[in-house]
Amino acid sequence: METATTDSNKTIDYDVIVREAAEKVFISMEPRVSERQLKQLHDAFEFAREAHKEQKRKSGEPYILHPISVALIAAEELKLDTNSVTASFLHDVVEDTSYTMKDIRERFGEDVAFLVNTVTKQKKESYKTSKQVDNYKQLLASMQYDIRALMVKIADRLHNMRTLSSMRPDKQMKIAGETDYFYAPLANRLGLFNVKTELENLSFRYRCSEQYADISEMIDGDITANTPRLEVFTKNIEDCLFRQGITAQAKAYWRAPYSLWRRSKEQQKDYQNLENRYYVRITFTSCRDTSLTEKNVCLKIYSLLTDIYRERPGSFQNLIDQAKENSYKSINVMLLSENGIWEDVQICSQKMVEESQFGCMAEIAQRAETRGVGKGVSLENVTSWIDKFRKVLRDIAVESENQGFIESIKASLYYDDVMVFTPRGEALILPKGSTALDFAFELHTDIGLHAKYARINGKVTSMRTVLQRGDCVEIGTSSDFRPHPDWTDAVKTYKAKKALKAYWASVASTQQYLRCTHCHPLPGGETIGIRGEDGKITIHRRNCPEAIRLASKNGDDIVAVPFEENEENIYPVCITIKAIDRYHFLIDVVKKITDELHLSIDSLNTATHDEIADLSVVFYVHSVRELVTVMNSIYAIPGVEEVRHET
């Protein structure tokens, strides 16, 4: 019998506590598993209890309470299947005890062993990048087989965060940092809204305890000040809907500290000036008119409420047809309450709420139910958006290395998204803040690489334009157009970043040398190469001051290198033109460069003083030969007095 004595001399019977905790898992699973599966869960608990019997947590409690808690989260909060809950009981056995994966496999089968192995940190003498990054890769790579391992790991992380107070400050920071960067966004992408919210707030609490406390105090004050009038508002809504045959609950929910802190940073406002610090959720459970779909009931509620309350123009959002990629659905609208305050109202069904809480697990369970699958349903078949997410993460895990891997994860595990459309009405979901360029690459890599302009809602715009929810986007392409060097900074999606990285790598492979950033040499010109301390060769124009300086110091580093014209590579150049102004002069210059010589102009600036025109034109060429051709052609334009190449 295991007991402990507290500071108040009270004896704690841990045997009873452990047994009662495990019983909660069995009670939660019993309605949806067979007797054989329930026995497997009991066996897993006893096996884990024996394996961890000598171990304690930092708090002094028996270690077995942690696996039990993880199993309860998996069973009750994530609604996972029998093998996943079994793996939750066993997830630390191989890592922390003398038992091996072979023991797990022989006792509980291949499927449970796979799940346990995936969440077990592999012990290595050295790590390819770092222990943390290698663990991320191992976990994400498992998605090509099964998503359940991620769910078990999230359950493990959630319990670790709930009990983080017993850890040292440095360990708190490490675990909280991992959670904020990786696990909370991951839970969000999997549609686990409640888990995501709790993880990010626990992380915020331990990373920035003072800010967390300050915001929490302001939220408490807000609740006290606003609850009386919101109770009147929500009661009136419920009564209105009940009279129309709709049973619903209207309730105000305050946004969590981390969400408000993030909004404050994004909007550059303090807490008191933030809009939508809370929202009113209307959740219906039944409707007298049983012929209506969930969406139509939501729209009926919207119609009834806007007969009573003023609607803020432009505030209506249909997040049912334009659902977020993490499965969140609702009808959103701002209504003017009796107190003259715009209230953020979200209208949804009870089923929609469950889907936002359980994410992919709720949809998988629904699929199983509609197919008539019995107890112990497998979670192998996942929804289309999970399939998409799995493919992206698998791609990242296989292709990305070192810092590239971390940046790829950051690009893929985003918090919010926008739905935009092609002219044919096809919907694409992109991270919030994505540009028309992201949209182009999402359609096809070749479209992105040759995208020249966008037409958003019928208006021509730059490819850098940030997209808004509901935009209709058309991409204009040109076969001879190539990406700009700074395009990488204008995209958010992993797919776009990957395509641009591959493109510039291919360009670099044909350009074996670096170009001097002072003299900007062109292929075909008088150039020389100078080897730097890092062994890389930089090409300079022969009259470049930097080349002359380096040559005078390190003559042995001068090398003769070919710098030849390549059809794939173009370089920006700037020329200045002085001319006697006349009618049609500017058009003649533009036509000469674009129509006759088929080159792209990047920018053009002109000023005229006392009939003398000064022009500055930036355009792209392949070589010195092409630049000379342009300059000679412009000299031939009537009125031109001077043409100079600016370096």
Side-chain angles (χ1 to χ4, degrees), residues 327-340:
S327 80
Y328 175 82
K329 296 177 182 178
S330 68
I331 296 291
N332 292 1
V333 66
M334 301 289 289
L335 300 178
L336 191 64
S337 70
E338 299 91 341
N339 302 92

Side-chain angles (χ1 to χ4, degrees), residues 302-322:
Y302 161 77
S303 178
L304 291 170
L305 293 181
T306 50
D307 285 341
I308 303 172
Y309 301 105
R310 290 282 187 183
E311 174 185 354
R312 188 172 184 173
S315 67
F316 178 85
Q317 279 188 303
N318 178 359
L319 297 182
I320 296 177
D321 293 333
Q322 300 179 24

Side-chain angles (χ1 to χ4, degrees), residues 57 69 73 77 155-165 194-195 198-199 202 205-206:
R57 298 204 83 199
S69 298
I73 292 170
E77 299 182 48
D156 177 34
R157 177 54 54 125
L158 183 55
H159 185 252
N160 282 334
M161 290 300 297
R162 287 173 176 174
T163 56
L164 199 58
S165 60
N194 286 5
V195 174
E198 185 173 357
L199 283 176
L202 285 170
R205 174 184 171 188
Y206 287 105

Side-chain angles (χ1 to χ4, degrees), residues 121 130-133 135-136 153 157 160-161 164 171-186 199 203 207 409 413 415:
K121 295 176 183 176
S130 71
K131 185 176 181 180
Q132 288 165 289
V133 173
N135 288 333
Y136 294 156
K153 188 62 182 178
R157 177 54 54 125
N160 282 334
M161 290 300 297
L164 199 58
K171 290 286 287 183
Q172 288 179 349
M173 184 61 196
K174 173 184 176 294
I175 295 172
E178 291 176 349
T179 300
D180 187 60
Y181 186 87
F182 182 75
Y183 289 102
L186 177 62
L199 283 176
S203 173
R207 286 186 299 104
I409 290 294
L413 298 180
Y415 272 98

Side-chain angles (χ1 to χ4, degrees), residues 134-147:
D134 280 14
N135 288 333
Y136 294 156
K137 286 188 175 184
Q138 174 188 326
L139 188 61
L140 295 178
S142 72
M143 285 196 69
Q144 63 180 314
Y145 308 109
D146 202 325
I147 199 172

